Amino acid sequence: SGSMDSCLMIWSMRPQMRAYRFVGHKDAVMCVQFSPSGHLVASGSRDKTVRLWVPSVKGESTVFKAHTATVRSVHFSSDGQSLVTASDDKTVKVWTVHRQKFLFSLSQHINWVRCARFSPDGRLIVSASDDKTVKLWDKTSRECIHSFCEHGGFVNHVDFHPSGTCIAAAGTDNTVKVWDIRMNRLLQHYQGNAVVNSLSFHPSGNYLVTASNDSTLKILDLLEGRLLYTLHGHQGPATCVAFSRAGELFASGGSDEQVMVWKTNFDAADYGDVLKTQKSGASVDGTHHTL
């Protein structure tokens, strides 16, 4: 977890295990992410740098002079070889992880970029900005393939569905929108009562969890196209949320200085069936219902 206290914390989920506190950033840590192998952690900060940490007792890190303004987002590609960063300097940048080499910049946004993510296959990048657009980029050609302009406010967060065929975006217009990126078509629209700060897809692709300014987390059932649960725990805006890799847990952070870990209770039998159908090549994401 990252915090306004400029520190990075690595927590152990095992009982009585200590947490590691990593010091290095000179200002608030805005974003953190484990590499796919778990051997590295990337963090972005208001100090305009990105750091790569080895999550061990020493807490050593290397620093990228990454951007000319706050770094809002860091994300590893699924092969762990590349890193994409997004900043208030209106750019999205791509780096190699191995030698921390800058590769290229994507600079068509006209306001702060809040979030950038690689697609599961690493061929696309999606970015969300205060210019009220979500942009889809081709990593090879470095071209913007499409701009989604349906948001009525700043776009705080965006991510790819595990299948790579859809994206979901959260915004200050209190909505979560899900688009099919093959046809650039809006599939689902969820209207909330508060600014949505963050979202995360369950690995099955059937659920989406969101974190909002009204202090709640919400679980959306994407197959049914409806709100399943509203979770209360934070005492102020819920600022970030993420499912664990296997989907059995999710963690949330808030401006109440709390990090909470939650256990999922999706019907296990039902979940097993979903995984089976995915393995057999059936289309799970073809059953979306538009609200």
Side-chain angles (χ1 to χ4, degrees):
S1 59
S3 162
M4 291 296 172
D5 64 9
S6 314
C7 290
L8 196 72
M9 297 289 287
I10 306 273
W11 309 86
S12 173
M13 306 299 285
R14 293 192 296 271
Q16 279 82 52
M17 285 293 285
R18 52 177 289 192
Y20 295 122
R21 184 187 184 88
F22 293 166
V23 181
H25 281 297
K26 307 278 188 289
D27 205 337
V29 179
M30 310 305 287
C31 49
V32 291
Q33 203 215 2
F34 270 102
S35 66
S37 67
H39 296 320
L40 287 172
V41 176
S43 60
S45 167
R46 206 187 271 160
D47 68 12
K48 309 175 190 174
T49 69
V50 168
R51 280 179 182 265
L52 277 186
W53 310 78
V54 179
S56 64
V57 182
K58 282 197 188 129
E60 295 164 311
S61 67
T62 52
V63 64
F64 298 50
K65 300 276 188 290
H67 289 272
T68 57
T70 297
V71 183
R72 297 266 168 199
S73 168
V74 288
H75 187 243
F76 285 96
S77 57
S78 55
D79 62 6
Q81 302 295 306
S82 306
L83 190 70
V84 63
T85 61
S87 166
D88 288 2
D89 65 11
K90 306 176 191 170
T91 68
V92 172
K93 292 186 178 182
V94 177
W95 315 75
T96 64
V97 171
H98 179 49
R99 292 218 169 90
Q100 286 109 56
K101 192 160 98 42
F102 169 70
L103 290 177
F104 60 88
S105 203
L106 304 171
S107 46
Q108 285 185 28
H109 282 295
I110 54 171
N111 207 334
W112 295 1
V113 190
R114 296 264 172 188
C115 186
R117 294 284 184 265
F118 283 110
S119 60
D121 63 10
R123 292 205 300 241
L124 300 171
I125 292 168
V126 69
S127 57
S129 166
D130 281 11
D131 64 12
K132 303 184 182 178
T133 71
V134 170
K135 290 189 188 297
L136 198 60
W137 312 81
D138 182 296
K139 183 174 178 263
T140 312
S141 71
R142 305 172 190 181
E143 298 289 320
C144 176
I145 314 167
H146 192 77
S147 284
F148 298 93
C149 308
E150 287 90 343
H151 271 280
F154 300 159
V155 193
N156 285 331
H157 200 98
V158 68
D159 205 358
F160 279 92
H161 186 272
S163 68
T165 59
C166 309
I167 56 168
T172 59
D173 60 358
N174 307 353
T175 68
V176 170
K177 291 181 164 71
V178 182
W179 286 282
D180 184 314
I181 60 168
R182 295 164 298 187
M183 299 174 289
N184 299 329
R185 191 168 65 88
L186 185 65
L187 289 176
Q188 293 183 334
H189 173 122
Y190 297 91
Q191 183 67 50
N193 322 315
V195 168
V196 188
N197 294 312
S198 178
L199 54 79
S200 176
F201 280 104
H202 188 265
S204 68
N206 294 348
Y207 306 99
L208 190 66
V209 63
T210 66
S212 300
N213 268 0
D214 61 2
S215 80
T216 67
L217 307 178
K218 291 186 170 66
I219 306 246
L220 307 173
D221 183 326
L222 298 174
L223 298 184
E224 299 281 331
R226 67 188 178 92
L227 174 66
L228 262 189
Y229 307 109
T230 299
L231 306 171
H232 300 268
H234 287 286
Q235 297 301 308
T239 51
C240 56
V241 66
F243 275 110
S244 62
R245 205 148 287 169
E248 78 287 10
L249 301 168
F250 55 99
S252 61
S255 54
D256 56 2
E257 304 175 13
Q258 301 289 318
V259 174
M260 296 187 179
V261 179
W262 309 72
K263 210 171 174 58
T264 56
N265 66 343
F266 309 132
D267 185 341
D270 169 50
Y271 181 41
D273 293 343
V274 168
L275 290 180
K276 274 199 224 81
T277 54
Q278 278 189 329
K279 285 199 181 89
S280 67
S283 163
V284 178
D285 61 337
T287 50
H288 282 295
H289 305 291
T290 309
L291 284 185

